[in-house]
Amino acid sequence: MSEPTTVPDLVWRTLVEAPDRVRLQWRDPSIHRRTGREVAHIVACWTRTLVSGGLRPGDRVGILAPSSARWLMFDLAALLAGAVTVPLFANVSRENLAWQIQDSGMGSILVEASQLDLLRSLDLPELRILILEDLVASAEASEGPTPSVDPERIQPGDFATLIYTSGSTGRPKGVLLDHRALFSQVRGAQMRYPAHPTEDSAVSCLPLSHVFERIVAYFHLANGYALAVSNDVQKVGDDLATFRPTILTAVPRLLEKMLLRVRSQVESARGVRRLLGRLALSQAAASRHFLSPALDPFLDRLVWSKVRSGLGGRLRLVVCGGAPLPASLETSFNRIGIPVYNGYGMTENGPVIAANTPEHHRAGSVGRPFPEVQVRVEADGELQVLSPSILREYWNRPEETAKVRTADGWLSTGDLGWIDADGYVYITGRKKDLCKTAGGKYVAPTPIEDALTGHSLVEHAVVCADDRKFVSAILSLDRLTLADWCHRNEFPSSLDLSAPPPGLVSELDAWVARVNEGLDEWEKVRRWILATAPLTIEGGGLTPTLKVRRQAILDKYRQELDALYEAGSRG
C-alpha cells in the first residue's frame, strides 16, 4: 500500500488500523464515545448514501449545522465520496446563506431538523436536503458489514472544499482549496506539534466551518487519539473538565474568558484567599516578576495548580489563532503552566502561514513559517506567501484571484509585517486598513486596537483616523466584565453607556493613556466614545468568525464621532 497523499486517506487508515480505540466523543448532556470501527462504519454508510443519491466527484455539498462530532464525520464521508464540501456558518444571515448556496452551485446540503424551515423558505426546489438526524438513525440501524470505501481514488489535485470568507469588507468570496492543500497543512502540523496516539487527547471547541479548526480536527484524527467535540463553546470549561485533554486550540477571546472566570472566582473569595489570588494572577500576567520568583512554587500550589485542574489538569499544548494574542494573556497562561503558542494564517492559505511551537517560540511574533511555506516581505511591507496550500482560485471570481496572485505565483496576504534574522514573522497591521489623517500621517489601526483590547473591560476597539485631525476610538465593553465592575463599584448592571459614570470614564482614560505611551505622537488616541450596544453578528458589527466590521461600526457611530471631533482633542 502506498503512502497516503490526502487527508481522507490518512484519516481513514488511522480509523481502520486501531478499530477499538476511542476516536470521537462528545457530551449532550450524557457522554458519547465512538471507536475507530464505529466511526468508520458511520462514515462509510454516509459515503454510500451520498453516492447512491447521485453525487458525482466534484459536486458541491453544503454543511449547515452547528459543530459536532457528526459534522466532522459527514465532512469526511463527503470527501471520501469525491465531493467538494462547502461549510456554512450556522449563524450566517439568511441573505448570505441563499447567496452562498446559489453561488457555489451545490446540489445537496446537510442540515439539522431545526433548520428545515429556514432552508425551505429559500425556495430552492432542486436542492437536495439531507437531515442529520435521519442520517444518524440510518447509520445506527445498519447492522451489516461496513460498506467498502476506496480513499486512494482521491487525488491531491482534486478539489476538496469551498470556504466562504467572512466578508468583513464586502460579500463573502469562495476560497477553493484542493486536497494537496489540506494534506500539506495536516502534515505540517504533525511535524511542528508531535503527538502520541495513546497518551494525548484533544477537545475541539471552535467552529468547524472555519478552516483553522477543521484542519486542526483532521490533525487530531490523523494522530490516532481521542477527539472530543464540544457542542457549545459557552460550556467548553465543562468539556475540558470532563475529557481532560492534553491539546486544545483556541482564539484569544476564549482564553481571556477563561482568565476572567478565574478572576471572578478570586474576587468572590474573602480575606487572605482573595489577596493571594490577586497576587498570583498579577504575578502570572507580569512581563517581569514583581514578586520574587522564589514565591512561584507557593503561588503554584495555592492558585495556579487549581487553574490547571479546572481546565482538566493535563493541558500541555494550546495553539491560539484567529486574532492577535495579547502579551499579558500569553504570559499569564505560560506562567500558570499551560503553554500557549500563537500563530498566523488566512483561509486563502488553508490556513496556517506561521506558528510558534514548543521548539521554536518567540514572544510577540507569530512564529516561523510552517513546513512547505515560504514568506517574503515586499517593499511596501506586505507579506507574501508561497506554499502547496494556496487557494486554487476564488470561486467564480477570476478578477479577484488575479488580484491576490503575483506574476510569480505568490499569494499577497494584505497583511503588513516583517521577519527577524531568525525567521520569526511579526504582523503590524492590514495594508488596506491604513488610515491617513488630515495632517497626512499614516496610522495602522490594528496594533492600536489590539492594545486597547488588552484591558479586561474592552472587548472590541475600532480606531477612527481617516481624514480626521487626530486619532479617536470606539470602545465596546465586555458585558460580563462590566457587570463585575458595576457590582464592585455599587452601580446597577444596566448602565446607560451614552452617559457612563465618572469612575468608569477615569479607568478607561487611564488605560488609553497607558496605551498611548507606546505610540508615536500622531498615533495617540486623543478621544474615545463607548459603543452603546454590544457588537454582534446579528447587528452587523461582527462577521460570522467574530471579526469586527470596522466600516459598519464607523458608519453607525458617525454622528457621535463628528460631534467628538467638533469638540476637539483632550490633549
Side-chain angles (χ1 to χ4, degrees):
M1 184 181 291
S2 59
E3 287 294 310
T5 56
T6 68
V7 169
D9 190 6
L10 178 64
V11 171
W12 182 260
R13 294 188 195 202
T14 69
L15 295 175
V16 299
E17 288 170 1
D20 297 320
R21 190 184 302 152
V22 173
R23 303 305 312 284
L24 285 172
Q25 46 192 356
W26 66 95
R27 210 168 42 90
D28 68 350
S30 58
I31 296 175
H32 300 261
R33 292 187 170 92
R34 297 291 183 269
T35 64
R37 179 182 292 104
E38 291 167 328
V39 172
H41 183 77
I42 293 169
V43 168
C45 286
W46 290 353
T47 297
R48 180 180 60 187
T49 297
L50 289 168
V51 173
S52 63
L55 184 137
R56 296 165 304 193
D59 284 354
R60 273 78 66 205
V61 176
I63 306 178
L64 178 67
S67 296
S68 68
R70 289 159 175 163
W71 192 110
L72 195 56
M73 286 189 281
F74 181 84
D75 185 49
L76 179 58
L79 293 175
L80 286 167
V84 177
T85 55
V86 187
L88 301 164
F89 286 97
N91 54 11
V92 68
S93 70
R94 185 178 183 276
E95 177 188 1
N96 273 336
L97 172 60
W99 186 84
Q100 289 172 30
I101 290 173
Q102 293 175 322
D103 181 68
S104 66
M106 68 177 66
S108 53
I109 186 170
L110 176 76
V111 301
E112 289 189 341
S114 61
Q115 297 163 307
L116 270 177
D117 289 343
L118 171 62
L119 260 294
R120 288 168 177 163
S121 73
L122 299 179
D123 192 24
L124 299 168
E126 295 185 6
L127 182 67
R128 182 190 180 197
I129 299 176
L130 302 167
I131 302 172
L132 179 58
E133 290 85 347
D134 292 348
L135 288 179
V136 170
S138 174
E140 290 179 347
S142 176
E143 297 179 352
T146 296
S148 61
V149 170
D150 181 16
E152 292 189 60
R153 73 187 183 90
I154 309 300
Q155 298 300 306
D158 293 346
F159 295 155
T161 187
L162 181 61
I163 304 168
Y164 283 87
T165 60
S166 55
S168 59
T169 57
R171 190 179 286 282
K173 297 189 290 284
V175 176
L176 184 62
L177 300 174
D178 57 26
H179 281 279
R180 181 182 292 106
L182 305 189
F183 188 76
S184 173
Q185 287 279 307
V186 170
R187 279 301 202 203
Q190 289 181 314
M191 293 170 64
R192 288 291 189 260
Y193 306 104
H196 194 280
T198 58
E199 295 177 5
D200 281 307
S201 64
V203 163
S204 170
C205 61
L206 302 179
L208 287 167
S209 47
H210 194 289
V211 66
F212 172 55
E213 190 68 1
R214 192 158 157 228
I215 287 294
V216 167
Y218 281 126
F219 160 76
H220 295 317
L221 290 178
N223 285 330
Y225 48 71
L227 169 62
V229 183
S230 180
N231 295 327
D232 185 353
V233 71
Q234 301 300 326
K235 298 179 180 178
V236 66
D238 295 336
D239 288 330
L240 292 174
T242 298
F243 297 111
R244 305 184 66 235
T246 59
I247 303 173
L248 175 72
T249 46
V251 292
R253 189 59 188 153
L254 178 60
L255 298 181
E256 287 174 358
K257 288 185 175 181
M258 289 178 180
L259 274 188
L260 283 174
R261 191 175 297 113
V262 173
R263 288 195 186 102
S264 177
Q265 292 169 351
V266 166
E267 292 303 321
S268 65
R270 295 182 178 276
V272 175
R273 288 183 61 195
R274 180 163 60 181
L275 175 62
L276 288 173
R278 287 174 174 175
L279 286 174
L281 292 181
S282 297
Q283 178 86 329
S287 56
R288 296 181 179 178
H289 286 79
F290 76 96
L291 297 173
S292 169
L295 290 174
D296 281 3
F298 174 70
L299 296 175
D300 184 81
R301 186 168 63 255
L302 291 179
V303 180
W304 297 344
S305 63
K306 292 180 174 60
V307 176
R308 295 195 300 271
S309 178
L311 299 177
R314 300 179 66 232
L315 281 173
R316 67 170 184 85
L317 174 66
V318 177
V319 180
C320 189
L325 178 66
S328 62
L329 196 61
E330 181 178 6
T331 301
S332 292
F333 274 93
N334 287 341
R335 196 162 286 156
I336 285 169
I338 301 175
V340 175
Y341 304 98
N342 68 315
Y344 157 68
M346 59 190 300
T347 304
E348 288 83 346
N349 193 62
V352 183
I353 293 172
N356 282 289
T357 69
E359 186 177 359
H360 298 289
H361 175 235
R362 184 159 293 175
S365 79
V366 293
R368 288 176 167 176
F370 227 43
E372 296 191 280
V373 178
Q374 300 176 60
V375 182
R376 70 185 183 189
V377 183
E378 287 298 281
D380 62 357
E382 182 181 13
L383 298 176
Q384 293 184 341
V385 177
L386 185 66
S387 80
S389 53
I390 289 176
L391 82 165
R392 291 284 289 270
E393 63 181 63
Y394 283 123
W395 186 255
N396 294 334
R397 302 276 195 94
E399 70 289 346
E400 294 293 334
T401 307
K403 288 179 183 177
V404 299
R405 297 295 293 268
T406 65
D408 55 351
W410 289 63
L411 172 69
S412 297
T413 66
D415 291 312
L416 301 173
W418 58 283
I419 305 172
D420 70 15
D422 297 318
Y424 289 90
V425 180
Y426 298 78
I427 308 299
T428 59
R430 287 287 293 169
K431 183 177 179 179
K432 63 186 174 185
D433 286 343
L434 278 179
C435 301
K436 188 176 183 180
T437 67
K441 292 287 189 179
Y442 284 96
V443 174
T446 304
I448 303 173
E449 292 165 350
D450 293 342
L452 289 170
T453 56
H455 194 293
S456 60
L457 274 168
V458 183
E459 182 172 20
H460 302 290
V462 177
V463 161
C464 177
D466 253 336
D467 299 320
R468 300 288 195 173
K469 294 180 291 184
F470 54 83
V471 177
S472 67
I474 303 167
L475 307 181
S476 176
L477 302 188
D478 179 89
R479 288 321 191 210
L480 291 177
T481 313
L482 179 60
D484 181 59
W485 185 94
C486 291
H487 176 72
R488 285 186 284 108
N489 291 275
E490 299 182 346
F491 280 99
S493 57
S494 55
L495 275 183
D496 177 8
L497 293 181
S498 63
L504 182 61
V505 172
S506 297
E507 185 165 341
L508 292 173
D509 266 341
W511 174 247
V512 172
R514 182 175 169 184
V515 169
N516 282 339
E517 290 174 1
L519 301 176
D520 289 321
E521 192 63 28
W522 64 87
E523 296 175 313
K524 295 183 187 297
V525 178
R526 304 296 181 183
R527 297 288 302 275
W528 54 268
I529 61 173
L530 291 179
T532 53
L535 306 192
T536 64
I537 297 167
E538 297 76 15
L542 300 177
T543 71
T545 53
L546 303 182
K547 294 184 176 70
V548 174
R549 296 185 188 271
R550 180 181 286 112
Q551 194 55 52
I553 301 305
L554 292 174
D555 290 342
K556 180 176 180 178
Y557 290 96
R558 186 166 303 280
Q559 188 173 352
E560 290 85 349
L561 289 169
D562 289 343
L564 177 149
Y565 281 100
E566 287 176 12
S569 170
R570 279 182 183 149

